[in-house]
Amino acid sequence: MDGLQNYLELSADIPGWTRGVEAQALVRFCSAQPDDAVIVEIGAFFGSGSVLLGGACKVKNSGQVHCVDPFDGSGDPVSVRHYEAIIMAYAGKTQRERFDGNIRRAGLSEWVHAHQGTAVEVAEHWNTPVDLLFLDGDQSPDGARLAYEAWSPWLKVGGILALHNSDPRDYEMGHDGHYQLTQTVVVEPHYEILELNGTTTYARKRR
Ligand SMILES: C[S@@+](CC[C@H](N)C(=O)[O-])C[C@H]1O[C@@H](n2cnc3c(N)ncnc32)[C@H](O)[C@@H]1O
């Protein structure tokens, strides 16, 4: 766990939303992917989750991480005010510069690749089957559904879907998009629900 612990600590130093047991679970699922796995993170912000995923690939010496984000602080209205506060606190560089710098400092530039644009925009040019899909972009019901519809066809049968913010709880209005996915489309028999870890649901695509 030594190498992985290093990336858990680097990730925790970057403003982000995947912490503690959730960070450990994301690393665990990423590490368990087959050789040369294709990992996609929708919604990367400053790269905190990306460092977890890229670090797991680097320790294993296999796999590539693709991070999709407009890098402009946009998203659902509930989230945007949190993004704006962080971006202002880290003024002086663009969000993309923060992301690139964090990935470079973590020594992960060969493992993590940014695709600037929304989930739907980037999916229009995507052409590679995906082993692990981490959905953590627009959290609104419409935004989450659009990202899911654009990317889930690329998830391999047997591949893992990770849905952040999808545990059953009271959500602010318009912020329960991933939870709604677990109640509508990410369900048996299409998916095998593997575990709920913190707020993140892990499900294996069955068909
Ligand atoms: C919650 S943050 C991501 C956190 C990161 N995954 C982590 O583990 O710390 C969500 C990010 O998704 C971005 N985003 C918003 N709408 C998006 C969309 N339609 N497609 C892709 N990313 C989006 C936001 O701008 C923000 O940078």
Side-chain angles (χ1 to χ4, degrees):
M1 185 73 183
D2 269 2
L4 295 176
Q5 185 60 35
N6 175 41
Y7 294 108
L8 285 162
E9 289 171 15
L10 285 169
S11 167
D13 282 342
I14 300 169
W17 286 264
T18 309
R19 300 293 194 226
V21 291
E22 284 196 272
Q24 290 170 8
L26 192 62
V27 165
R28 173 164 50 85
F29 272 98
C30 190
S31 301
Q33 293 310 301
D35 283 348
D36 301 321
V38 175
I39 318 290
V40 172
E41 178 187 33
I42 305 294
F45 197 63
F46 279 14
S48 178
S50 324
V51 164
L52 297 170
L53 296 165
C57 290
K58 185 171 181 178
V59 166
K60 196 177 167 184
N61 198 27
S62 184
Q64 292 286 305
V65 180
H66 299 273
C67 300
V68 177
D69 198 301
F71 296 110
D72 61 1
S74 63
D76 61 276
V78 175
S79 301
V80 160
R81 54 178 198 262
H82 299 290
Y83 305 153
E84 283 173 353
I86 298 171
I87 289 166
M88 273 177 63
Y90 286 78
K93 287 188 177 162
T94 66
Q95 190 184 333
R96 177 63 190 271
E97 287 168 339
R98 293 284 175 203
F99 175 88
D100 289 342
N102 287 330
I103 297 304
R104 193 171 53 247
R105 270 188 297 282
L108 293 172
S109 300
E110 288 176 32
W111 302 91
V112 176
H113 311 281
H115 301 259
Q116 189 154 355
T118 66
V120 169
E121 288 166 353
V122 175
E124 280 166 14
H125 307 285
W126 189 259
N127 60 10
T128 312
V130 172
D131 293 278
L132 171 61
L133 175 61
F134 179 35
L135 284 189
D136 196 19
D138 188 320
Q139 314 277 325
S140 69
D142 283 351
R145 185 180 43 75
L146 285 172
Y148 174 81
E149 288 175 353
W151 284 90
S152 61
W154 290 108
L155 185 62
K156 294 178 184 174
V157 171
I160 301 294
L161 175 63
L163 287 172
H164 207 195
N165 274 335
S166 61
D167 56 321
R169 64 177 142 104
D170 286 335
Y171 286 87
E172 283 187 74
M173 194 186 294
H175 205 243
D176 62 347
H178 292 155
Y179 174 67
Q180 288 199 19
L181 291 178
T182 68
Q183 302 303 298
T184 52
V185 287
V186 184
V187 293
E188 306 275 352
H190 306 285
Y191 288 87
E192 176 189 3
I193 307 303
L194 300 175
E195 64 185 67
L196 173 64
N197 201 303
T199 77
T200 305
T201 303
Y202 290 91
R204 188 188 309 281
K205 186 175 176 181
R206 277 188 162 148
R207 52 167 92 157

